Amino acid sequence: MVYTAQHEMLARQTPDETAQQRFVLALKRHVMISMRPGVGLAYAKQAEPAYLAEHGRPPADRAEAEEALDSSSHYRFTKAINRISQEMMWQAVGETVYREKDRLETAAGRLTDVAAAKGSLSLDPSLQPEQIYNDCFIHLQPEGYLPADPKGTSIIAGAFYESGGRLYSMGRGMGQEDSKAGAVIKWLEEVRPGWRPKRILDMGCSAGSASTAYAEHFPDAEIHACDLGSSMLRYAHARAESMGAPVHFHQADAARTKFPDGHFDLIVSHNLLHEISGDTRRGVAAESLRLLAPGGICVHQDVDLLFRGKAAWEEAERAYDLHFNNEPFWLEYATSDLTSELTAAGFPQQAVNEAKVKKVAGPGHWYAFTAVKPE
Ligand SMILES: C[S@@+](CC[C@H](N)C(=O)[O-])C[C@H]1O[C@@H](n2cnc3c(N)ncnc32)[C@H](O)[C@@H]1O
């Protein structure tokens, strides 16, 4: 594997593990590039005619289109291979992560020694994340986002997130770089040339790959990041330290942080929206307004998944992740309207926007909801 950001916390593969991961990557690419695009044809040629013959009308909504699609052998085979490739990905990554676990825990202990660290880690054992994150391991990540951390040394959630995420994103043909923060930074340069935010918050930071990108791009800014679990955050903190990036990590619910009012000039989230409930998403909108300083901006970026304007069969195909990839909030996001929610939270309507943010490391774009707090 060729990774762009090299650092001490990255689980290192043996040549055998690299070969195993390359195989998974090839399989994932085959699913994304050769199999999934054929689903539309399978719908038009097989699924819809079969449904029409049985019901005397075409499928009227997503649920009916899902039923119709299931009559297509191409669709059933595609989703089976898709699921298997995801399981294989975590197995392959797990070989490396579990073999490297002791080294990574030791490295994290050394890197985060408070005397030397540039950033910090504030844990809040009283935080009670929604139970779903314990019951449902999102996108099948082994041990989930909130693994047990009895000794206070776990880094496993972050190690899995970073190694799995890199393999997964390449499988989706997005290029090899962590492009989300880079894309938003480039977009910010276009809409606010020369702007230097003083304080930045990265909501739902996971392993902190975006947080460190902001720290590198805005070296004079104070960077904060929050997420739910200690294992994820300990990895993120150690990772940032190993890269020399001063980031302050906090165990906090993005919808209910303990930062003071007006504390941040820039609030970002990357791929958080599709992994939270509607209530939390509305909470994130309200918290963004509360936390922004006058003139500050929030940029909530996510995948371009929204159902608007999509045909029933496309909605059905996109529901794959809800049913087979443990993404419990996938459809809740796809049918959401954060623009209205930001306005309902109190941002003036003219201050709220949606942007297609061009990817920097591959074709296509990300979707972003942005809002500016009035001066
Ligand atoms: C898809 S990952 C985000 C990826 C990350 N921002 C990046 O750029 O690599 C979603 C993250 O959001 C976190 N999360 C979910 N609900 C949250 C909440 N209410 N507050 C803070 N973090 C949350 C999860 O623990 C998970 O680490």
Side-chain angles (χ1 to χ4, degrees), residues 62 66 314-323 330-331:
R62 175 177 57 77
E66 278 181 46
E314 289 173 293
E315 293 188 8
E317 205 276 333
R318 284 164 173 234
Y320 166 86
D321 288 88
L322 171 78
H323 298 312
W330 196 247
L331 292 193

Side-chain angles (χ1 to χ4, degrees), residues 118 185 189 194-200 210-224 243-248 266:
K118 291 178 164 183
I185 286 169
E189 278 171 353
W195 186 55
R196 310 303 289 173
K198 289 197 279 297
R199 262 196 223 111
I200 300 174
S211 325
T212 51
Y214 287 99
E216 280 164 9
H217 188 79
F218 295 114
D220 299 329
E222 192 179 293
I223 314 287
H224 295 261
M243 297 172 79
V247 180
H248 302 284
L266 172 62

Side-chain angles (χ1 to χ4, degrees), residues 124-142:
D124 177 3
S126 70
L127 184 74
Q128 293 203 316
E130 286 171 74
Q131 185 59 27
I132 187 113
Y133 297 105
N134 289 304
D135 295 343
C136 173
F137 292 173
I138 294 198
H139 45 61
L140 311 186
Q141 177 170 322

Side-chain angles (χ1 to χ4, degrees), residues 222-302:
E222 192 179 293
I223 314 287
H224 295 261
C226 70
D227 206 290
L228 298 175
S230 59
S231 176
M232 190 73 90
L233 287 161
R234 191 172 297 109
Y235 178 92
H237 178 36
R239 178 188 183 280
E241 293 301 326
S242 77
M243 297 172 79
V247 180
H248 302 284
F249 291 95
H250 306 260
Q251 186 174 21
D253 184 334
R256 277 176 291 275
T257 72
K258 293 180 179 163
F259 297 110
D261 293 0
H263 204 56
F264 295 100
D265 305 297
L266 172 62
I267 295 174
V268 293
S269 72
H270 295 285
N271 290 13
L272 169 71
L273 298 177
H274 76 262
E275 294 197 355
I276 54 179
S277 65
D279 283 346
T280 302
R281 197 180 58 243
R282 286 180 282 279
V284 163
E287 191 67 347
S288 299
L289 181 68
R290 184 184 77 77
L291 290 179
L292 278 177
I297 184 169
C298 61
V299 183
H300 295 291
Q301 167 271 319
D302 213 297

